[in-house]
Each structure stands twice: as structure tokens, then as C-alpha cells.
Amino acid sequence: RKEEELDSKDAIILHQFSRPTNGVPSLSPFCLKMETYLRMADLPYQNYFDGKLSPQGKMPWIEYNHKKVSGTEFIIDFLEEKLGVNLNKHLGPHERAVSRAVTKMVEEHLYWTLAYCQWVENLHETQKMVSLFGPFSDLLKWIFCHLTKGIVKREMYGHGIGRFSEEEMYTLMEKDMRTLAGLLGDKKYIMGPTVSTVDATVFGHLAQAMWTLPGTRPERLIKGELINLAMYCERIRRKFWPEWHHDDDNTLYESEESSEASKTYSPLQDFSFYSRTETFDEEGNSISQTPDTDYTGHSLFDSDVDMDDYRDHEQCK
């Protein structure tokens, strides 16, 4: 029935995992990357939380004009070709090369250490965030999470990084995160003042450390010593995810203007049913929303977090 109702004619249908229960858009760095990219490129899309993998066994994947594409890199290439979008048009050849190198470091190296933390070391917390409903939901969550744990450990061993000790893996993770912090510096985005494709990639992964790994070493690192990465994540979240409000927001990351406004905001609808145009829920029903402002009433382009505000805060301390 769902397949009969689904029509991808001139519409981007994004297939991804269901929203977790903690308010974060996705526990998958690649799903979060893809949806953030669509928002950065301002492309209308429809979410479909059916849990069905692509023919290649991938998630996320898209359908557009009945064409199925999986793998975030291939999806972005496809959308650039078909729709003429390009977040990297302002980058020169050297910057494009650096951008790709950073993407591969994050997706082929940092990803695995974060996955280990999420699905092996911190599995009990991840299990609480998994969204499954029904009379046997707790049992199904336990089974799903422990199956995923086994898959992650097996794939990490095949990759090679899983053959190291836990301490060695975390050493590699810390090196990657420090590299990103050094590359970002006091810039607004990874490659400068303008957002590019690599920002969707980096945000999709660092957001896991920020909001899905409570009490772990990645979270302590990003919210402590590597504070510029935390500010970077907040900056992107507020600009491209205005309906994503976190209960533990830290005013340290807020500008003076947004700090006052954010003290009062209206309750938001469950953003599981949100996209820039329309989203399908799990029952196949569609709900339309196209907000142009965040919950503070500012436009999306006024909701940035500036480095100057943080430096002023530090001087006051």
C-alpha cells in the first residue's frame, strides 16, 4: 500500500531510519548528513521512514523520478547533475581537494570509532534512543541493538580498525577530532564563511558526539577542549534545523541576541513529520510544513552562533 502511494515524480523521496526518541534527527551519521545537505541546498524533499534498505543494502537512499540512488556521495552527484545544485561552486581546486580528503577521513576513519562508542561501549544508552513501538518493543530494541553491536564489531574487524584495543581506537578518534578542530579554527564553516558539502558530512558525524553519546569520551572532548567544534555544531543546527530544540541547550553557544529570545518559544510539533515541504509518516500520511523562521522568530540566516561571542564570554570569565 505504501509503495502504491509513493510517487517520486519531480520529488526527492529520502528513505532513512526512524527518528530516535531523544529529539536528534538520526542516530545514523549518513542519514543526518543527507538530510542536512538537502536543507543546505534548499531542495524540497519528502522523508519516508519505512526502514527499507536500498537494492545495495544501503541507508539512506533516495528516489527521484522513479530513479533509485544510494550512497550519499552518489546521491549528491546525482542531485547536482539533475537539479543543478552545487554547494562547492565557490571552492577552488585546492579547496575541493582538501574538502574531499576531510570527507574521507571522517567517513572512513572517524565514523568507525564513533560507531564503536555508540553501538558497543555505550550500547545501553543507545538502546534507550532507538525508536520501536508495540507490545514487544523493549525486547525488539534489545535484539536489534545487540545484533547491530555484532555487525559493527565484525565490520570494524574487517576494516582493520577493530583489531586495535579500545584505548588505541579512542586515540585515533581523538586525533581525527583534533584535526577537524584545527582545520576549523575560528572559521564559520570548515572551508570558510560559506557552507559547503563537507559541512553536511562533518556535522552528521560530530552531531553524534554532541547529542547521542552522553558521558563518553567523544562528548567530553567536543564539549570541553574542542569547544569550537561544539559551537560549529550549534551553528549548523540552529541555521538548518530550526525545529530541533535540545533540552540541554547551553547558553555558552548563544549570541546575546538569541539568548534573550530563546527564553520564550512555542512548543514545536514532533519534527519526525518535518521537511522543507512534506513528510510521510510511518502510516503513509503526509503532513506539510515550510517554516521560514526558527523558534526565536529570527530568519534562518540570523540564527548563527558567532565566534566573537564566545571569545567575549571567555574574557569575562
Side-chain angles (χ1 to χ4, degrees):
R1 183 180 64 83
K2 289 181 180 179
E3 291 178 354
E4 288 175 356
E5 292 178 357
L6 189 62
D7 184 6
S8 64
K9 185 179 187 304
D10 296 326
I12 300 171
I13 309 298
L14 176 61
H15 294 260
Q16 60 171 313
F17 298 114
S18 297
R19 302 291 199 201
T21 60
N22 67 331
V24 175
S26 181
L27 294 176
S28 163
F30 292 98
C31 288
L32 183 52
K33 167 194 174 179
M34 195 66 248
E35 191 168 2
T36 301
Y37 170 85
L38 291 172
R39 293 175 176 229
M40 288 177 171
D42 202 13
L43 293 174
Y45 65 95
Q46 299 173 330
N47 274 318
Y48 213 67
F49 302 108
D50 56 354
K52 181 180 179 182
L53 301 178
S54 72
Q56 293 82 11
K58 291 285 203 177
M59 190 73 92
W61 56 286
I62 69 162
E63 293 181 79
Y64 181 77
N65 283 338
H66 307 291
K67 170 76 173 178
K68 298 179 180 180
V69 187
S70 67
T72 55
E73 185 172 353
F74 292 117
I75 293 173
I76 292 172
D77 290 344
F78 174 81
L79 294 176
E80 288 182 351
E81 178 185 352
K82 294 295 182 181
L83 302 178
V85 297
N86 189 349
L87 294 181
N88 298 330
K89 59 185 177 182
H90 62 286
L91 301 180
H94 174 74
E95 292 172 313
R96 288 172 184 260
V98 172
S99 179
R100 178 165 177 79
V102 172
T103 297
K104 293 301 107 179
M105 179 193 75
V106 170
E107 294 186 345
E108 305 296 339
H109 200 259
L110 177 62
Y111 164 76
W112 290 109
T113 55
L114 292 176
Y116 175 84
C117 188
Q118 189 174 50
W119 294 103
V120 180
E121 185 197 8
N122 210 41
L123 184 65
H124 62 289
E125 291 294 335
T126 302
Q127 184 174 327
K128 299 176 185 176
M129 304 176 197
V130 172
S131 178
L132 286 175
F133 302 99
F136 303 104
S137 59
D138 290 340
L139 176 60
L140 291 175
K141 283 183 183 181
W142 188 92
I143 294 173
F144 169 78
C145 288
H146 281 78
L147 284 175
T148 303
K149 174 182 177 180
I151 292 172
V152 168
K153 292 180 70 174
R154 184 174 68 248
E155 291 187 350
M156 288 183 68
Y157 189 85
H159 175 279
I161 197 170
R163 304 181 187 217
F164 297 109
S165 68
E166 180 178 291
E167 186 61 33
E168 289 171 328
M169 284 191 286
Y170 278 127
T171 297
L172 296 176
M173 177 213 67
E174 184 172 330
K175 287 183 177 181
D176 288 343
M177 292 181 67
R178 290 187 184 279
T179 297
L180 290 173
L183 181 61
L184 176 63
D186 61 357
K187 298 194 301 294
K188 192 172 185 179
Y189 301 111
I190 295 294
M191 302 308 297
T194 306
V195 71
S196 58
T197 303
V198 69
D199 291 299
T201 302
V202 174
F203 174 74
H205 288 73
L206 290 183
Q208 308 303 319
M210 274 285 289
W211 293 295
T212 73
L213 299 174
T216 62
R217 291 173 65 171
E219 185 199 50
R220 292 195 298 271
L221 190 61
I222 196 173
K223 292 183 178 180
E225 186 177 348
L226 306 182
I227 194 68
N228 67 327
L229 293 182
M231 297 175 67
Y232 167 80
C233 288
E234 287 284 355
R235 187 178 301 122
I236 292 179
R237 185 191 72 157
R238 295 182 185 188
K239 183 167 185 176
F240 298 104
W241 291 90
E243 78 283 17
W244 173 8
H245 178 75
H246 196 260
D247 292 336
D248 297 327
D249 280 348
N250 191 328
T251 55
L252 172 63
Y253 306 133
E254 297 177 353
S255 66
E256 183 178 349
E257 180 182 12
S258 64
S259 179
E260 289 300 319
S262 61
K263 291 178 182 178
T264 58
Y265 60 91
S266 301
L268 300 175
Q269 293 185 6
D270 182 358
F271 71 93
S272 300
F273 309 131
Y274 169 87
S275 77
R276 283 190 180 263
T277 53
E278 188 174 47
T279 302
F280 288 114
D281 62 19
E282 293 183 353
E283 298 301 321
N285 302 313
S286 61
I287 299 177
S288 297
Q289 278 187 317
T290 49
D292 296 320
T293 58
D294 66 9
Y295 57 82
T296 67
H298 298 93
S299 75
L300 301 187
F301 297 97
D302 292 334
S303 58
D304 298 328
V305 180
D306 296 322
M307 293 297 295
D308 292 337
D309 298 314
Y310 172 69
R311 283 194 288 267
D312 293 341
H313 179 86
E314 287 296 298
Q315 289 174 1
C316 290
K317 289 201 298 183

